[in-house]
Amino acid sequence: MLGFLLCLSLALFIGLVWFVGTRFQFLVDDEGITIVHYVRTHRIPWEQVAVIEQSGSYWTTGAAVVVAREPAGRRITALATTDRMMLYRGENPFDTVRAGNAPRRPTLAAIEAHLRWIAAANARMQGRQDPWALH
């Protein structure tokens, strides 16, 4: 009976680690950015994004950091975009060595999407057609 309980607890622990460990996500779409962490999901619409940066701290090197407008200066680090997660994303880790401090692919994708949203928002405010819309 004790062996069964130990095996069951080990299986539950491994299942929990697998579930939590594979939960990381960083999604960029037309509506904003979604950052999925261990137990919390952050949905940040483009209106609330002030700037997108790249982390330089030790544990989160290369991670995309979203700085929110409200509350002012709130920083949310996307753990799925760290250099440590490159292999899980299917990227070549040696590209980091060659790139140095240049923005990584996930950060660049988020910055480009944010710039497109800003251009479209400015065009709408000026009464012009959305420059990124499909015709």
Side-chain angles (χ1 to χ4, degrees), residues 1-82:
M1 182 67 174
L2 180 61
F4 172 75
L5 291 176
L6 286 174
C7 288
L8 180 63
S9 62
L10 181 64
L12 289 174
F13 177 74
I14 289 172
L16 179 67
V17 168
W18 178 79
F19 174 75
V20 170
T22 59
R23 188 166 152 74
F24 289 139
Q25 291 183 14
F26 180 69
L27 306 170
V28 178
D29 59 23
D30 293 339
E31 305 299 320
I33 296 176
T34 304
I35 300 172
V36 181
H37 284 156
Y38 294 111
V39 293
R40 184 162 184 199
T41 299
H42 303 274
R43 178 72 184 142
I44 309 152
W46 289 123
E47 296 87 12
Q48 292 298 319
V49 176
V51 68
I52 299 167
E53 302 173 342
Q54 183 167 289
S55 175
S57 67
Y58 173 72
W59 191 254
T60 59
T61 301
V65 178
V66 179
V67 181
R69 293 185 191 281
E70 294 294 329
R74 179 177 178 214
R75 300 169 60 84
I76 302 170
T77 303
L79 297 177
T81 62
T82 63

